Amino acid sequence: MNTTAMTALPSPAHTLAQALAQLPLIAILRGLTPAEAPAIGDALVGSGFAIIEVPLNSPEPFKSIAALTRQFPQTLIGAGTVLNVQQVKEVHTAGGRLIVAPNFNPAVVAQALALNMVVLPGVATPTEAFAALDAGAHGLKLFPAEMITPATVKALRAVLPKTAALMPVGGITPDNMAAYLAAGASGFGLGSALYAPGKSAPAVQQQAEAFARALKG
């Protein structure tokens, strides 16, 4: 028995914790094309990003995920807007190690866990949050953040396990992160304020660095 092979892969929880410790920001690249993926990925990784998500309603998302995972094997890369078990399997086949959803679907969480993937379902209420964590979710996407104020995050943080990663997503900008962090957010998912289809790699890098500065500042 090859015990080295058995112990070589870190657990998904450890993988997520390491990525969040490096920079607790998820780059959400909705609309990314496979042709853009290498340059945009380079801009993000060069800015310190350790987590990249390609939503499945992007053009040829599995090709983009495959390209990114080949180029950045140390980065936690996967898919967003994952709605069913088959999509989880396809992300895994493409090399992705991250599943992010706008909702909590127990079957999606179970399939991600079975494939040793990090899974962050979307929740908006305490009931959903506790159910997702009980199902084995490694963290929670608080979505849409426009409806989940810092006061709501503070209330959730008071009752949820201290180790639960809470990631507001939706409408996050460098200007509103501080209030969420003070309320107990663990990090953020960044969408159109970071990347939009057709945005150049230098422009994405400039915005990525602005988010990183705001987080650390």
Side-chain angles (χ1 to χ4, degrees):
M1 182 180 295
N2 188 341
T3 56
T4 301
M6 291 175 61
T7 58
L9 292 176
S11 70
H14 180 71
T15 297
L16 177 63
Q18 278 192 320
L20 292 176
Q22 179 175 322
L23 186 69
L25 299 173
I26 301 174
I28 302 171
L29 306 181
R30 191 177 308 279
L32 183 77
T33 65
E36 293 176 290
I40 297 298
D42 196 50
L44 292 166
V45 173
S47 301
F49 275 66
I51 311 175
I52 297 174
E53 162 195 336
V54 180
L56 292 187
N57 53 2
S58 303
E60 300 182 288
F62 302 112
K63 288 186 178 180
S64 293
I65 291 167
L68 288 167
T69 56
R70 285 193 302 268
Q71 188 171 352
F72 308 104
Q74 301 307 313
T75 302
L76 179 56
I77 295 166
T81 319
V82 180
L83 303 178
N84 58 58
V85 166
Q86 181 58 33
Q87 290 174 338
V88 176
K89 294 177 181 177
E90 291 181 79
V91 174
H92 183 263
T93 298
R97 296 184 293 149
L98 170 69
I99 295 295
V100 184
N103 63 324
F104 166 51
N105 181 335
V108 166
V109 173
Q111 184 63 61
L113 295 176
L115 294 174
N116 208 38
M117 302 170 82
V118 174
V119 58
L120 304 173
V123 303
T125 67
T127 298
E128 290 177 332
F130 278 107
L133 292 173
D134 285 346
H138 300 109
L140 302 173
K141 171 182 176 176
L142 303 183
F143 178 78
E146 292 92 339
M147 293 174 55
I148 302 172
T149 64
T152 303
V153 174
K154 184 177 181 180
L156 287 170
R157 180 55 80 193
V159 295
L160 292 173
K162 302 300 181 188
T163 55
L166 304 183
M167 312 286 289
V169 179
I172 300 300
T173 69
D175 296 329
N176 64 13
M177 290 195 299
Y180 280 102
L181 290 169
S186 308
F188 303 94
L190 309 176
S192 58
L194 174 66
Y195 169 82
K199 194 170 186 177
S200 70
V204 171
Q205 182 162 354
Q206 184 178 33
Q207 197 61 18
E209 291 170 352
F211 271 108
R213 285 194 304 270
L215 184 78
K216 295 171 182 176

